Amino acid sequence: MTTGTGQQTRAPQQAAQSARAMRADARRNYDRLLAEARSAFAEHGTGTSLEDVARRAGVGIGTLYRHFPNRHALMSAVWKDAVCDLLARSHALLDDPQPCSALVAWLRAIITHAGEYRGLSSALMSASHDDTSALAQCSMPMREAGTALLVRAQEAGAVRPDVSIGDLLQLTNAISLAAEETPDDPELADRLLTLTLRGLKADGQTPA
């Protein structure tokens, strides 16, 4: 009886230890895949082979798909750190005494981050119309953060009241895409953003 009871006691303990080991192993795989995806996307763009990402992480493609069901899911995980940084930046800029300058600074930061991975801007533009995309999960907090900055600039009379955050985010993605396609002109993104911002005021002047 004692032996049987001991075996029964050990069985759940061994199962729990095995589950913890599997969870730890799964987490390591997730972290390796994410690290290699960042590296591969930075080197070759977001269209890089997912099989290559899995190979670089030392796992099979099936393991990659268990963690990231599709390319947009992997891209969303890679973009998450940038989104967190942009959200923190937006909160800090809410204290800026120049509301329109704060909005402009935030839009420039979006362009900078999106430019880290070739193909990301195009994917973000597409995802804005597809609620089923994993990349769309980043959209709502970004819109909320941008709206807070935009409203401050509008209330200060620096930005036209008919400007929407959705349009601004699409414009920044388009500017990022244009800059991505013209790598030999590093000033292009800033020039395009300046031209865009001239349309924010009814008198056509660049908001400052």
Side-chain angles (χ1 to χ4, degrees), residues 17-65:
Q17 291 171 352
S18 177
R20 285 195 295 271
M22 289 177 63
R23 286 195 295 270
D25 187 57
R27 185 67 206 185
R28 284 193 294 271
N29 287 340
Y30 178 93
D31 291 341
R32 283 200 301 268
L33 284 164
L34 192 53
E36 293 301 337
R38 288 195 183 100
S39 177
F41 287 174
E43 291 174 18
H44 309 296
T46 57
T48 192
S49 165
L50 296 187
E51 286 80 3
D52 184 54
V53 172
R55 179 187 58 77
R56 291 168 60 144
V59 301
I61 188 63
T63 297
L64 183 149
Y65 282 125

Coordinates of all heavy atoms in Angstrom, one line a residue, residues 17-65:
Q17 N 6.4 18.7 -13.2 CA 7.7 19.1 -13.6 C 7.9 19.0 -15.1 O 8.6 19.9 -15.7 CB 8.7 18.1 -12.9 CG 8.8 18.3 -11.4 CD 9.6 17.2 -10.7 OE1 10.0 16.2 -11.4 NE2 9.9 17.4 -9.4
S18 N 7.3 18.0 -15.7 CA 7.4 17.9 -17.2 C 6.7 19.0 -17.9 O 7.2 19.6 -18.9 CB 6.7 16.5 -17.6 OG 6.8 16.4 -19.0
A19 N 5.5 19.4 -17.3 CA 4.8 20.6 -17.9 C 5.6 21.9 -17.8 O 5.7 22.7 -18.7 CB 3.5 20.7 -17.2
R20 N 6.3 22.0 -16.6 CA 7.1 23.2 -16.5 C 8.2 23.2 -17.4 O 8.6 24.3 -18.0 CB 7.6 23.3 -15.0 CG 6.5 23.8 -14.0 CD 7.1 24.2 -12.7 NE 7.8 23.1 -12.0 CZ 7.2 22.3 -11.2 NH1 5.9 22.4 -10.9 NH2 7.8 21.3 -10.6
A21 N 8.9 22.1 -17.6 CA 10.0 22.0 -18.5 C 9.5 22.3 -20.0 O 10.2 23.0 -20.7 CB 10.6 20.6 -18.5
M22 N 8.4 21.8 -20.3 CA 7.8 22.1 -21.7 C 7.5 23.5 -21.8 O 7.8 24.1 -22.9 CB 6.6 21.2 -21.9 CG 6.8 19.7 -22.1 SD 5.3 18.8 -22.3 CE 4.7 19.5 -23.8
R23 N 7.0 24.2 -20.8 CA 6.7 25.6 -20.9 C 8.0 26.4 -21.0 O 8.1 27.3 -21.8 CB 5.9 26.1 -19.7 CG 4.4 25.6 -19.7 CD 3.7 26.4 -18.6 NE 4.1 26.1 -17.3 CZ 3.6 25.1 -16.5 NH1 2.6 24.3 -17.0 NH2 4.0 24.9 -15.3
A24 N 9.0 26.0 -20.3 CA 10.3 26.7 -20.3 C 10.9 26.5 -21.7 O 11.5 27.5 -22.3 CB 11.2 26.2 -19.3
D25 N 10.8 25.3 -22.3 CA 11.4 25.0 -23.6 C 10.6 25.8 -24.7 O 11.3 26.4 -25.6 CB 11.3 23.5 -23.9 CG 12.0 23.2 -25.2 OD1 13.2 23.5 -25.3 OD2 11.4 22.6 -26.1
A26 N 9.3 25.9 -24.5 CA 8.5 26.6 -25.5 C 8.9 28.1 -25.4 O 8.9 28.8 -26.5 CB 7.0 26.4 -25.2
R27 N 9.1 28.6 -24.2 CA 9.4 30.0 -24.1 C 10.8 30.3 -24.7 O 11.0 31.4 -25.4 CB 9.5 30.4 -22.6 CG 9.7 31.9 -22.4 CD 8.6 32.7 -22.9 NE 9.0 34.1 -23.2 CZ 8.1 35.0 -23.6 NH1 6.8 34.8 -23.7 NH2 8.6 36.2 -23.9
R28 N 11.8 29.4 -24.6 CA 13.1 29.6 -25.2 C 12.9 29.6 -26.7 O 13.6 30.4 -27.4 CB 14.0 28.5 -24.7 CG 14.6 28.7 -23.3 CD 15.7 27.8 -23.1 NE 15.3 26.4 -23.1 CZ 14.9 25.7 -22.0 NH1 14.8 26.4 -20.8 NH2 14.6 24.4 -22.1
N29 N 12.1 28.7 -27.2 CA 11.9 28.6 -28.7 C 11.3 29.9 -29.2 O 11.7 30.5 -30.2 CB 11.0 27.5 -29.0 CG 11.7 26.1 -28.9 OD1 12.9 26.1 -28.9 ND2 10.9 25.1 -28.8
Y30 N 10.3 30.4 -28.4 CA 9.6 31.7 -28.8 C 10.6 32.8 -28.8 O 10.7 33.6 -29.8 CB 8.5 32.0 -27.8 CG 7.8 33.3 -28.0 CD1 6.6 33.3 -28.8 CD2 8.3 34.5 -27.5 CE1 5.9 34.5 -29.0 CE2 7.6 35.7 -27.7 CZ 6.4 35.7 -28.5 OH 5.8 36.9 -28.7
D31 N 11.5 32.9 -27.8 CA 12.4 34.0 -27.7 C 13.5 33.9 -28.8 O 13.8 34.9 -29.4 CB 13.1 34.0 -26.3 CG 12.2 34.4 -25.2 OD1 11.2 35.0 -25.5 OD2 12.5 34.1 -24.0
R32 N 13.9 32.7 -29.1 CA 14.9 32.5 -30.2 C 14.3 32.9 -31.6 O 14.9 33.6 -32.4 CB 15.4 31.1 -30.3 CG 16.4 30.7 -29.2 CD 17.2 29.5 -29.6 NE 16.4 28.3 -29.8 CZ 16.1 27.5 -28.8 NH1 16.6 27.6 -27.6 NH2 15.3 26.4 -29.0
L33 N 13.0 32.5 -31.8 CA 12.4 32.8 -33.1 C 12.2 34.3 -33.2 O 12.4 34.8 -34.3 CB 11.0 32.1 -33.1 CG 11.0 30.6 -33.4 CD1 9.7 30.0 -33.1 CD2 11.3 30.4 -34.9
L34 N 11.8 35.0 -32.1 CA 11.6 36.4 -32.2 C 12.9 37.1 -32.5 O 13.0 38.1 -33.3 CB 11.0 36.9 -30.9 CG 10.4 38.3 -30.9 CD1 9.4 38.5 -32.0 CD2 9.7 38.6 -29.5
A35 N 14.0 36.7 -31.8 CA 15.3 37.3 -32.0 C 15.8 37.1 -33.4 O 16.3 38.1 -34.0 CB 16.3 36.7 -31.0
E36 N 15.6 35.9 -33.9 CA 16.1 35.7 -35.3 C 15.2 36.4 -36.3 O 15.7 36.8 -37.4 CB 16.1 34.2 -35.6 CG 17.2 33.4 -34.8 CD 18.6 33.9 -35.0 OE1 18.8 34.5 -36.1 OE2 19.4 33.7 -34.1
A37 N 13.9 36.5 -36.0 CA 13.0 37.2 -36.9 C 13.4 38.7 -37.0 O 13.5 39.3 -38.1 CB 11.6 37.1 -36.5
R38 N 13.7 39.3 -35.9 CA 14.2 40.7 -35.9 C 15.4 40.9 -36.8 O 15.6 41.8 -37.5 CB 14.5 41.2 -34.5 CG 13.3 41.4 -33.6 CD 13.6 42.2 -32.3 NE 12.5 42.3 -31.4 CZ 12.3 41.6 -30.3 NH1 13.2 40.6 -30.0 NH2 11.3 41.8 -29.6
S39 N 16.4 39.9 -36.6 CA 17.6 40.0 -37.3 C 17.4 39.8 -38.8 O 17.9 40.5 -39.6 CB 18.6 38.9 -36.8 OG 19.8 38.9 -37.5
A40 N 16.6 38.8 -39.1 CA 16.3 38.5 -40.6 C 15.5 39.6 -41.2 O 15.8 40.0 -42.4 CB 15.6 37.1 -40.7
F41 N 14.5 40.1 -40.5 CA 13.7 41.2 -41.1 C 14.6 42.5 -41.3 O 14.4 43.2 -42.3 CB 12.6 41.6 -40.2 CG 11.5 40.5 -40.2 CD1 10.4 40.7 -39.3 CD2 11.5 39.5 -41.1 CE1 9.3 39.7 -39.3 CE2 10.5 38.5 -41.1 CZ 9.4 38.7 -40.2
A42 N 15.5 42.7 -40.4 CA 16.4 43.9 -40.5 C 17.3 43.7 -41.7 O 17.6 44.7 -42.4 CB 17.2 44.1 -39.2
E43 N 17.8 42.5 -41.9 CA 18.8 42.2 -43.0 C 18.1 42.1 -44.3 O 18.6 42.6 -45.3 CB 19.5 40.9 -42.7 CG 20.4 41.0 -41.5 CD 21.0 39.6 -41.2 OE1 21.0 38.7 -42.1 OE2 21.5 39.4 -40.0
H44 N 17.0 41.4 -44.4 CA 16.4 41.1 -45.7 C 15.0 41.6 -45.9 O 14.4 41.3 -47.0 CB 16.4 39.5 -45.9 CG 17.7 38.9 -45.6 ND1 18.8 39.2 -46.4 CD2 18.2 38.1 -44.6 CE1 19.9 38.5 -45.9 NE2 19.5 37.8 -44.9
G45 N 14.4 42.2 -44.9 CA 13.0 42.7 -45.0 C 12.0 41.7 -44.5 O 12.3 40.5 -44.2
T46 N 10.8 42.2 -44.3 CA 9.8 41.3 -43.7 C 9.3 40.2 -44.6 O 8.5 39.3 -44.2 CB 8.6 42.2 -43.2 OG1 8.0 42.9 -44.4 CG2 9.0 43.2 -42.2
G47 N 9.7 40.2 -45.9 CA 9.3 39.2 -46.8 C 10.2 38.0 -46.7 O 10.1 37.0 -47.5
T48 N 11.2 38.0 -45.8 CA 12.2 36.9 -45.8 C 11.5 35.6 -45.5 O 10.4 35.5 -44.9 CB 13.2 37.2 -44.6 OG1 14.3 36.3 -44.8 CG2 12.6 37.1 -43.3
S49 N 12.1 34.5 -45.9 CA 11.5 33.2 -45.7 C 11.3 32.8 -44.3 O 12.3 32.9 -43.4 CB 12.5 32.1 -46.4 OG 12.2 30.8 -46.0
L50 N 10.1 32.4 -43.9 CA 9.9 32.0 -42.5 C 10.6 30.7 -42.2 O 11.0 30.4 -41.1 CB 8.4 31.8 -42.3 CG 7.5 33.0 -42.4 CD1 6.1 32.7 -42.0 CD2 8.1 34.2 -41.6
E51 N 10.8 29.8 -43.3 CA 11.6 28.6 -43.1 C 13.1 29.0 -42.7 O 13.7 28.3 -41.8 CB 11.7 27.8 -44.4 CG 10.4 27.1 -44.7 CD 9.3 28.0 -45.3 OE1 9.6 29.2 -45.5 OE2 8.2 27.5 -45.5
D52 N 13.6 30.1 -43.2 CA 14.9 30.5 -42.9 C 15.0 31.0 -41.4 O 15.9 30.8 -40.7 CB 15.4 31.6 -43.8 CG 16.8 32.1 -43.6 OD1 17.7 31.2 -43.6 OD2 17.0 33.3 -43.4
V53 N 13.9 31.7 -41.0 CA 13.8 32.2 -39.6 C 13.9 31.0 -38.7 O 14.6 31.0 -37.7 CB 12.6 33.1 -39.4 CG1 12.4 33.4 -37.9 CG2 12.6 34.3 -40.2
A54 N 13.1 30.0 -39.0 CA 13.0 28.8 -38.1 C 14.4 28.1 -38.1 O 14.9 27.7 -37.0 CB 12.0 27.8 -38.7
R55 N 15.0 28.0 -39.3 CA 16.3 27.4 -39.3 C 17.4 28.1 -38.5 O 18.1 27.5 -37.8 CB 16.8 27.3 -40.8 CG 18.2 26.7 -41.0 CD 18.6 26.8 -42.4 NE 18.7 28.2 -42.9 CZ 19.7 29.0 -42.5 NH1 20.7 28.6 -41.7 NH2 19.7 30.3 -43.0
R56 N 17.3 29.4 -38.6 CA 18.3 30.3 -37.8 C 18.0 30.1 -36.3 O 19.0 30.2 -35.5 CB 18.2 31.7 -38.2 CG 18.6 32.0 -39.6 CD 18.3 33.4 -40.1 NE 18.8 34.5 -39.3 CZ 19.2 35.6 -39.8 NH1 19.1 35.9 -41.1 NH2 19.6 36.6 -39.0
A57 N 16.8 29.9 -36.0 CA 16.5 29.7 -34.5 C 16.7 28.3 -34.0 O 16.6 28.0 -32.8 CB 15.0 30.1 -34.3
G58 N 17.0 27.4 -35.0 CA 17.3 26.0 -34.6 C 16.1 25.2 -34.3 O 16.1 24.2 -33.5
V59 N 14.9 25.6 -34.9 CA 13.7 24.8 -34.7 C 13.1 24.5 -36.1 O 13.5 25.0 -37.1 CB 12.7 25.6 -33.9 CG1 13.3 25.9 -32.5 CG2 12.2 26.9 -34.6
G60 N 12.1 23.6 -36.1 CA 11.4 23.3 -37.3 C 10.3 24.4 -37.6 O 9.9 25.1 -36.7
I61 N 9.9 24.4 -38.9 CA 8.9 25.3 -39.3 C 7.6 25.1 -38.5 O 6.8 26.1 -38.3 CB 8.6 25.3 -40.8 CG1 7.7 26.4 -41.3 CG2 8.0 23.9 -41.2 CD1 8.3 27.8 -41.1
G62 N 7.3 23.9 -38.1 CA 6.1 23.6 -37.4 C 6.1 24.3 -36.0 O 5.0 24.8 -35.5
T63 N 7.3 24.4 -35.4 CA 7.4 25.1 -34.1 C 7.1 26.6 -34.3 O 6.5 27.2 -33.5 CB 8.8 24.9 -33.5 OG1 9.0 23.5 -33.3 CG2 9.0 25.6 -32.2
L64 N 7.7 27.1 -35.4 CA 7.4 28.5 -35.7 C 5.9 28.8 -35.8 O 5.4 29.8 -35.2 CB 8.1 29.0 -37.0 CG 8.0 30.5 -37.3 CD1 9.3 30.9 -38.1 CD2 6.8 30.7 -38.2
Y65 N 5.2 28.0 -36.6 CA 3.8 28.2 -36.8 C 3.0 28.0 -35.5 O 1.9 28.5 -35.4 CB 3.3 27.3 -37.9 CG 3.6 27.9 -39.3 CD1 4.3 27.1 -40.2 CD2 3.3 29.2 -39.6 CE1 4.6 27.6 -41.5 CE2 3.6 29.7 -40.9 CZ 4.3 28.9 -41.8 OH 4.6 29.4 -43.0

